[in-house]
Amino acid sequence: MLARIPAILLLLCFHFSNAQYFEKEKELINRVASATNEKASIKSLAELAEFYYLHRAEAKGDSVLQKQIFNAELSNDKNLVLEALFSGAIENVSKWSSTETFDRALKFVDKGVMYARSMGRADYEVIGSIRKAGLYRKRGDNDKALEQMLMAVSSLSNTTSDSLKSVVYLETGRIFLAKKDAISAYKNYNSAFDLAYKNNNVPLQSECYHHFAELYQSLSDVASAKKNLLRSFEINSKAGYEFGMLHDYKDLARLTDEQEYIDKLLKLAGKLKSDKYLLSGKILMYAIWIVVKQDSKAALDYLHANEDLNQYYLNTGMPSYYWNIGNVYFYSNRPDSAIRYYTLAEPGLNTTFESSVRQALFHDMGESYLQLNQFSRATVYFEKALLISEQQNDFSLASAISSKLSALYANGGDYKKAFDYTQKNIFYKDTLEQLNEQKEVVLLEVDRESKKHEKDLADAEANARRTRNLQYTGIAIAIASVFAFMILMGMFPVSRVTIKMLSFFAFICLFEFIVLLVDSYLHKVTHGEPLKIWSAKIILIAILVPIQHYLEHGVVHFLASQRLLRMRQHLSIRKMWRNTIAKIKKPPAPEDVGIEEDTAVL
């Protein structure tokens, strides 16, 4: 699975670029230079900063951000300063970024949070806390990340945005998942989904399904992960949300290794002219050549044939670039070439990157030396990788490395160390078995929560449908009552103007009700596209308006006619009442009296 490849290849799937790096860079720089006012300048600088961060040119990106804030402060516009401090560039910092990048990003977000607090903007405070939590999570400091989310929750009491609350739940869930607490993660994802579902927010619902997929993938349930991604694709395609479909294709490709999804991603990205997802497809294709097909020549040809892809890795710095090339050779079983590039990468990666990067490098160097039968060097790097694995509680990798170290020391005649690593291997294997058993229990608990959540959603949908049907029925009864009242009024001597006003109101209610009934169907057929809905409603109104005028004219003519007045006189309630009273008061006929007397005698 692409989702289970080492750090450098995971790195491939999390970042994006535009089609032609230098062309786009020049275009954005020219746009900054030609900005005619402060607002345009701030917007252009934000786009340039995001471009650099997407391409891992973080130092350039940070420089642009600082310039953006400086210009915003000179404008003396607080909203522009807020916009500059909360631009989206920082969200593109990767978990594989350098320590320096993380430090700069955290300081930048801190500045934004302080400014938002001084302005009393609780919504921006929440966004700042979410971003800080994300940075700490990517860095592996989950406790600090959780602290930031607690601050975000406290600030939420001053906001009313359900979308913001959903994002808080999603980030909290990701932190719990990073802490191996899948149940808490799942409950937070459910809370986020409920809010998105209540507000019919398709992009957020789609994002929730991607988080569910990530959770199931962490529990080794690939089938359920794929099922959630397909659910996301279903609601995105039904709503016509094509950018959401791009995200679906990307994650489906990473999960399944199926090139068909990459082809669909590239095709749709080309149609939408999305440079971001076009390069995402290229990165995935590059990973397929490396990991699945294990063809170093084809992979390197593909890399050098795509300027944007190659420049992306160059921007990460030469140590990271060499690491990338080393992995190409590592997966194609060319350990000598892999070692050559790993050796070039080691000094820089060892001093400027977080421990997860060093762990991957040391492990792969150990494997390469082992294939070359250089056992002493393999031992050195395996021990370095094991130390980091133990610190990170990565029991799976620790078990595999300790087993190899045990064999290496045994072959070298150091049976004491071989025994020590064997004991470690046994401990890690037992721990993994316990974790797998716990994982099965957690998966059952997650399934139980899932069924309960689906039942709650079904009940909520049934209640909403019942309420909707009751409202439709109430509207229909109200319209019928208006028409009945109008006919009743027509039976009395009222002015023609009054009849026209009542008729106009009654038919407006009727035809708006028809439009209301058709509206939901139109949104479904047109996938919510405004142009199609607008065109369909124009056609519908063009049909209904003449009908309304015709029926309205006929009803007014009928209600104001002498025929209805005669009917009113014939059916007059007052006349009927008088006739009834008269019959009661009228004396009985003589023949009736005789009959009564004869009856009395008898």
Side-chain angles (χ1 to χ4, degrees):
M1 293 290 178
L2 287 179
R4 289 186 290 218
I5 59 182
I8 182 62
L9 299 176
L10 282 176
L11 179 63
L12 302 179
C13 304
F14 281 113
H15 290 282
F16 314 97
S17 178
N18 290 309
Q20 294 296 326
Y21 180 84
F22 294 109
E23 258 183 55
K24 188 66 176 180
E25 181 184 30
K26 185 178 178 181
E27 177 191 334
L28 291 172
I29 290 172
N30 288 338
R31 196 178 298 173
V32 171
S34 61
T36 55
N37 54 58
E38 290 88 350
K39 190 168 185 180
S41 175
I42 298 303
K43 183 179 178 182
S44 300
L45 285 166
E47 290 174 353
L48 182 59
E50 185 168 8
F51 171 81
Y52 282 133
Y53 269 96
L54 283 171
H55 290 76
R56 294 297 304 279
E58 288 103 346
K60 287 185 177 180
D62 184 66
S63 176
V64 173
L65 285 178
Q66 298 305 324
K67 184 178 179 181
Q68 183 188 19
I69 294 170
F70 179 76
N71 288 358
E73 289 173 342
L74 282 180
S75 71
N76 203 27
D77 186 331
K78 291 184 177 181
N79 288 326
L80 277 181
V81 176
L82 203 60
E83 185 179 329
L85 287 166
F86 285 90
S87 63
I90 292 297
E91 293 182 329
N92 298 299
V93 173
S94 162
K95 68 182 291 185
W96 311 111
S97 297
S98 66
T99 303
E100 184 184 0
T101 297
F102 276 117
D103 291 339
R104 283 200 308 259
L106 286 167
K107 286 180 182 177
F108 184 82
V109 177
D110 269 332
K111 188 173 182 179
V113 171
M114 295 301 292
Y115 192 81
R117 190 171 298 154
S118 69
M119 288 184 64
R121 293 297 301 268
D123 51 344
Y124 279 95
E125 279 192 68
V126 173
I127 294 170
S129 295
I130 293 170
R131 289 184 178 179
K132 282 189 72 176
L135 288 168
Y136 280 125
R137 173 178 54 79
K138 291 172 185 177
R139 202 171 189 174
D141 197 341
N142 296 316
D143 291 332
K144 283 188 178 179
L146 206 53
E147 287 175 11
Q148 289 300 317
M149 293 317 299
L150 290 174
M151 293 176 67
V153 170
S154 66
S155 299
L156 270 178
S157 58
N158 299 318
T159 65
T160 57
S161 171
D162 282 345
S163 297
L164 199 53
K165 291 176 183 176
S166 291
V167 176
V168 167
Y169 282 125
L170 287 176
E171 181 57 41
T172 305
R174 295 195 78 176
I175 295 167
F176 276 118
L177 188 60
K179 290 171 70 70
K180 313 296 184 185
D181 187 351
I183 299 298
S184 296
Y186 189 81
K187 288 179 178 178
N188 276 279
Y189 293 160
N190 274 345
S191 298
F193 185 85
D194 289 343
L195 289 171
Y197 186 80
K198 183 182 78 171
N199 293 293
N200 196 28
N201 190 327
V202 171
L204 263 180
Q205 288 181 50
S206 173
E207 193 64 26
C208 290
Y209 280 127
H210 280 265
H211 281 70
F212 286 133
E214 183 184 14
L215 182 145
Y216 279 111
Q217 191 176 344
S218 73
L219 296 173
S220 305
D221 189 349
V222 177
S224 294
K226 185 177 180 180
K227 181 180 176 182
N228 277 278
L229 291 176
L230 291 175
R231 282 180 178 175
S232 174
F233 179 78
E234 181 184 356
I235 64 170
N236 283 327
S237 56
K238 189 179 292 184
Y241 181 48
E242 292 184 310
F243 282 97
M245 293 164 64
L246 288 173
H247 191 191
D248 297 330
Y249 285 139
K250 179 178 75 71
D251 277 3
L252 282 165
R254 290 184 60 247
L255 180 71
T256 63
D257 298 349
E258 293 179 16
Q259 190 173 332
E260 182 183 356
Y261 287 121
I262 302 177
D263 295 337
K264 289 181 177 181
L265 170 64
L266 290 169
K267 183 178 179 181
L268 183 57
K271 173 193 167 187
L272 298 175
K273 297 180 180 179
S274 170
D275 293 334
K276 170 181 176 179
Y277 280 102
L278 275 171
L279 190 65
S280 176
K282 291 181 183 180
I283 290 169
L284 286 166
M285 195 64 239
Y286 182 49
I288 289 285
W289 283 116
I290 296 172
V291 182
V292 180
K293 299 184 178 182
Q294 299 181 351
D295 188 334
S296 60
K297 184 180 183 305
L300 292 174
D301 287 345
Y302 189 83
L303 176 67
H304 295 136
N306 291 276
E307 172 203 307
D308 49 351
L309 185 65
N310 190 58
Q311 189 61 40
Y312 167 79
Y313 290 110
L314 285 171
N315 284 343
T316 63
M318 290 313 297
S320 182
Y321 187 80
Y322 290 139
W323 182 31
N324 167 48
I325 302 300
N327 274 279
V328 173
Y329 289 117
F330 175 78
Y331 277 93
S332 60
N333 296 313
R334 294 179 59 184
D336 51 345
S337 297
I339 284 293
R340 187 183 313 130
Y341 284 98
Y342 284 154
T343 304
L344 291 171
E346 183 182 2
L349 293 182
N350 202 27
T351 57
T352 60
F353 282 82
E354 299 292 313
S355 58
S356 54
V357 175
R358 299 197 305 274
Q359 177 199 41
L361 174 68
F362 295 150
H363 172 265
D364 292 346
M365 290 185 78
E367 288 286 357
S368 299
Y369 279 121
L370 186 61
Q371 291 179 40
L372 293 171
N373 295 325
Q374 296 184 28
F375 301 128
S376 59
R377 298 186 72 85
T379 301
V380 171
Y381 283 102
F382 276 140
E383 286 183 334
K384 289 181 179 181
L386 179 61
L387 181 62
I388 298 174
S389 299
E390 290 172 335
Q391 291 170 351
Q392 295 183 340
N393 292 328
D394 188 346
F395 300 115
S396 179
L397 189 58
S399 174
I401 294 174
S402 57
S403 175
K404 289 175 181 176
L405 282 170
S406 176
L408 284 169
Y409 277 113
N411 290 335
D414 192 340
Y415 298 109
K416 182 180 184 307
K417 281 196 173 181
F419 176 77
D420 290 341
Y421 280 113
T422 299
Q423 292 300 110
K424 281 192 173 187
N425 183 38
I426 293 171
F427 169 75
Y428 292 133
K429 277 187 175 180
D430 290 343
T431 305
L432 282 172
E433 286 180 7
Q434 292 174 8
L435 289 175
N436 286 332
E437 290 174 2
Q438 291 175 13
K439 192 180 289 186
E440 291 177 6
V441 173
V442 169
L443 194 56
L444 289 172
E445 181 67 18
V446 167
D447 286 338
R448 188 186 70 80
E449 287 287 335
S450 176
K451 290 175 182 177
K452 179 178 178 296
H453 186 242
E454 287 176 2
K455 182 180 180 303
D456 291 341
L457 287 177
D459 291 342
E461 177 63 26
N463 290 332
R465 195 183 305 114
R466 190 180 304 110
T467 302
R468 188 166 57 249
N469 291 338
L470 285 173
Q471 289 179 359
Y472 281 137
T473 304
I475 293 171
I477 292 172
I479 292 172
S481 300
V482 170
F483 274 97
F485 178 73
M486 184 174 63
I487 294 172
L488 186 63
M489 286 290 292
M491 297 174 66
F492 292 88
V494 294
S495 68
R496 190 180 183 87
V497 174
T498 304
I499 292 173
K500 279 187 174 182
M501 289 175 63
L502 274 172
S503 176
F504 175 77
F505 177 73
F507 279 104
I508 282 291
C509 290
L510 174 63
F511 285 102
E512 282 299 321
F513 183 53
I514 293 171
V515 171
L516 178 66
L517 292 174
V518 173
D519 192 60
S520 59
Y521 176 74
L522 281 180
H523 276 79
K524 187 182 295 184
V525 171
T526 60
H527 302 296
E529 295 184 32
L531 182 61
K532 292 181 180 178
I533 295 172
W534 177 70
S535 303
K537 284 194 174 181
I538 285 178
I539 295 170
L540 180 63
I541 291 170
I543 295 170
L544 291 179
V545 168
I547 296 174
Q548 177 186 347
H549 287 312
Y550 175 78
L551 292 176
E552 187 179 336
H553 176 74
V555 168
V556 170
H557 179 73
F558 174 73
L559 292 177
S561 66
Q562 292 297 318
R563 181 180 173 187
L564 190 60
L565 290 174
R566 286 195 299 271
M567 187 186 298
R568 176 186 65 78
Q569 292 171 358
H570 181 71
L571 298 175
S572 172
I573 296 174
R574 183 182 295 178
K575 187 175 179 181
M576 291 172 63
W577 174 255
R578 286 178 178 176
N579 289 339
T580 302
I581 296 298
K583 284 181 181 180
I584 292 173
K585 292 182 177 180
K586 184 179 178 181
E591 58 272 19
D592 295 336
V593 175
I595 292 171
E596 289 178 3
E597 289 176 353
D598 292 341
T599 305
V601 171
L602 290 173

